Structure formats: C-alpha cells, structure tokens
C-alpha cells in the first residue's frame, strides 16, 4: 500500500471537508459549544487549532458558515507560522469572529517554558488578555499547543478562568477524532461520524492540513509557508510602490 492510500491523502481537501460537515448534520449531530459540554443531546464539538494558515482557516470558516454551522477556532499568540497582530491576519480573525464562530486561545506552554501551576495560570492570563484586547471579545476556553504527557495530566476543567478542552470531564464524555500532523491519528472521521453507538464527539482539525487537492501532509504545510512568503513579497512590493520608492532587483 502506498502512502497516498495508507494515509488517505484524498480525505484532506476542502471539498471533502464540506462533505464531512454535511455528513455530521445528516447523522443528526447538533453542533455545540464547549461551555455546553454537559448537554445530553447528541452533540459534536468541532474545533480548529489554528496552526499554519489563518487564510486557510478562514476558508474553512466560510464553508461552515454557508452550512449554518458554528465551530471553535483556537488562536495562537506565539505562532511561528503567522503573526496574530499583523493587519492581514487580524482582519481574517475578525472575519472569522464576525461569522459567529467561537474564538479560544491555543496556548503554547513551551514558549513560556511553564514549570509549575502558578506560572501556568499567570501565562494563560497574559495571553488571554492579549487576545481579548485584540479581538474585543471574552476568551472563555483554551487548548494546549503540542501536548505532552505533563500537559495532558492537567485535568482540571478550568485554569485562569478559561475552560480547558483537555479537562477530564470533557475527555471522558466525548469521543475524540483528530487530524493532527495531517492524518487520522486514531480513527477516520468519516467512520466515526457514521457510528451510531455514541452520543458525543469532539473533532480537532488543523487549517493547513486541508488543501484544494490531495497531497502529502508535509507538502500541505510547505504550501501554507509558501503562500505566506508570497503574501509578504507582494506586501513589500506594494509598500514601495505606494510610497514612491525604487524597488531594485537583479
């Protein structure tokens, strides 16, 4: 079996993404918020950890909006792939917010080199306030970036006044399906959505892993990086032109 088949490259296109959302609604899942996690109805919480491309995340948000769905977008303050405070990125995050989606914090404990619970609370609060001030909304939930056994051992439902999506109560109640690193880590989402034996599902997707055509996970990430580089070059050229400066190249 080749890698394209083994890792189901064809699953990770925006066309198939729309189909999976439609399948979820056809299977009578109610799209829910983390704050309503205790509901007894057949619920699905659909979460995005925004890791690689806010442009790609916005495309996914549009698809969800067209289908009348609201999902969760967890945004990083310290991403290596995008700058939350850059104008173009800020504008896209505002659009995602204004589509009615929920915004949370994708918290990078490694950036702060968190060593204890007190430091965790302090750094969470710092990033929470920064994101709230930027987007002018309350931030009520967070997810950990690059989880480790130590981070997953933090089982309390709330830290720094935010709901921890890895809290024990949520993890015990909700079945979990993730596309982390660009393939189905545990079970294929399509199969899980069609399994009528359970009531509650938490889905985690990552923006850059969903492209227009099938490709290997690493190629998907490279495409996101190349897209950002292209945007930066265009920005540089545009700025020089707007301010009447020479743009000298070989």
């Amino acid at each position: 079996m080749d890698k394209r088949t083994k890792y189901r490259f064809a699953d990770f296109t925006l066309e198939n993404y729309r189909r999976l959302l439609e399948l979820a609604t056809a299977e009578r899942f109610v799209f829910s918020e983390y704050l309503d996690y205790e509901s007894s109805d057949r619920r699905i919480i659909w979460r995005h950890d925004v890791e690689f491309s806010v442009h790609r995340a916005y495309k996914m948000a549009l698809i969800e909006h067209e289908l009348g769905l609201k999902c969760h977008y967890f945004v990083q303050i310290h991403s290596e792939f995008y700058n939350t405070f850059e104008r173009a990125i800020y504008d896209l995050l505002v659009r995602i917010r204004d589509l009615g989606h929920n915004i949370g914090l994708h918290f990078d404990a490694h950036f702060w080199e968190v060593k204890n619970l007190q430091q965790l609370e302090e750094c969470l609060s710092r990033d929470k306030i920064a994101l709230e001030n930027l987007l002018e909304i309350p931030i009520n939930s967070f997810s950990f970036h690059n989880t480790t056994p130590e981070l997953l051992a933090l089982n309390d439902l709330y830290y720094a006044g935010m709901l921890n999506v890895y809290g024990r109560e949520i993890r015990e109640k909700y079945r979990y399906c993730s596309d982390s690193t660009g393939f189905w880590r545990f079970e294929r989402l399509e199969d899980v959505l069609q399994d009528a034996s359970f009531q509650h599902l938490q889905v985690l997707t990552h923006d850059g892993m969903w492209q227009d055509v099938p490709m290997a996970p690493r190629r998907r990430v490279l495409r996101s990086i190349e897209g950002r580089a292209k945007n930066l070059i265009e920005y540089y050229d545009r700025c020089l032109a707007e301010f009447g400066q020479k743009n000298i190249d070989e």
Side-chain angles (χ1 to χ4, degrees), residues 4-230:
R4 180 172 292 269
T5 303
K6 180 179 179 179
Y7 295 107
R8 300 185 182 277
F9 291 1
D11 277 11
F12 299 94
T13 65
L14 289 182
E15 180 181 1
N16 193 53
Y17 184 73
R18 179 186 293 272
R19 190 181 68 83
L20 290 170
L21 291 168
E22 292 171 342
L23 178 60
T25 57
E27 293 294 331
R28 299 185 180 180
F29 279 104
V30 176
F31 278 67
S32 185
E33 299 182 14
Y34 276 106
L35 295 181
D36 296 329
Y37 77 94
E38 293 180 295
S39 172
S40 59
D41 297 337
R42 193 167 197 231
R43 297 275 173 153
I44 187 168
I45 301 176
W46 201 293
R47 161 177 138 228
H48 301 262
D49 283 350
V50 183
E51 302 246 336
F52 306 105
S53 171
V54 180
H55 290 79
R56 185 63 45 171
Y58 177 60
K59 288 187 176 182
M60 300 174 83
L62 282 174
I63 293 172
E64 294 154 359
H65 181 69
E66 289 167 5
L67 296 175
L69 305 175
K70 292 184 179 181
C71 298
H72 286 262
Y73 285 78
F74 287 79
V75 178
Q76 290 190 59
I77 294 292
H78 309 289
S79 174
E80 301 291 340
F81 292 91
Y82 62 90
N83 177 3
T84 307
F85 297 90
E86 179 182 306
R87 185 61 203 227
I89 300 303
Y90 164 77
D91 286 344
L92 289 170
L93 292 173
V94 167
R95 291 179 194 174
I96 293 172
R97 179 201 70 189
D98 290 348
L99 289 174
H101 297 297
N102 295 285
I103 306 292
L105 172 67
H106 193 34
F107 179 68
D108 188 355
H110 311 287
F111 176 88
W112 293 114
E113 298 181 349
V114 171
K115 297 293 192 300
N116 54 57
L117 190 56
Q118 179 181 346
Q119 187 187 11
L120 172 70
E121 293 271 357
E122 291 173 354
C123 294
L124 273 169
S125 294
R126 191 177 302 159
D127 284 358
K128 175 182 188 290
I129 291 169
L131 193 57
E132 286 180 332
N133 288 340
L134 179 69
L135 297 179
E136 300 180 294
I137 53 172
I139 301 298
N140 299 315
S141 56
F142 77 93
S143 63
F144 285 115
H145 175 57
N146 287 342
T147 54
T148 63
E150 292 75 21
L151 291 175
L152 292 177
L154 297 168
N155 286 320
D156 288 356
L157 193 57
Y158 284 89
Y159 294 97
M162 292 182 288
L163 185 143
N164 169 24
V165 304
Y166 289 102
R168 181 185 295 107
E169 294 175 48
I170 294 175
R171 294 172 67 188
E172 289 179 350
K173 183 170 185 175
Y174 282 77
R175 191 166 172 177
Y176 182 70
C177 188
S178 170
D179 70 352
S180 182
T181 66
F183 62 96
W184 303 119
R185 294 290 297 276
F186 308 105
E187 302 171 90
R188 188 186 186 199
L189 179 54
E190 182 168 344
D191 298 336
V192 173
L193 290 173
Q194 296 179 90
D195 185 344
S197 67
F198 66 96
Q199 287 289 101
H200 301 92
L201 174 63
Q202 179 182 186
V203 175
L204 169 58
T205 60
H206 296 80
D207 43 277
M209 293 305 174
W210 298 81
Q211 298 290 338
D212 297 326
V213 296
M215 61 182 73
R218 188 171 184 274
R219 280 300 322 164
R220 295 175 223 156
V221 175
L222 287 175
R223 191 177 187 283
S224 296
I225 295 170
E226 290 162 357
R228 176 157 174 76
K230 179 175 179 290

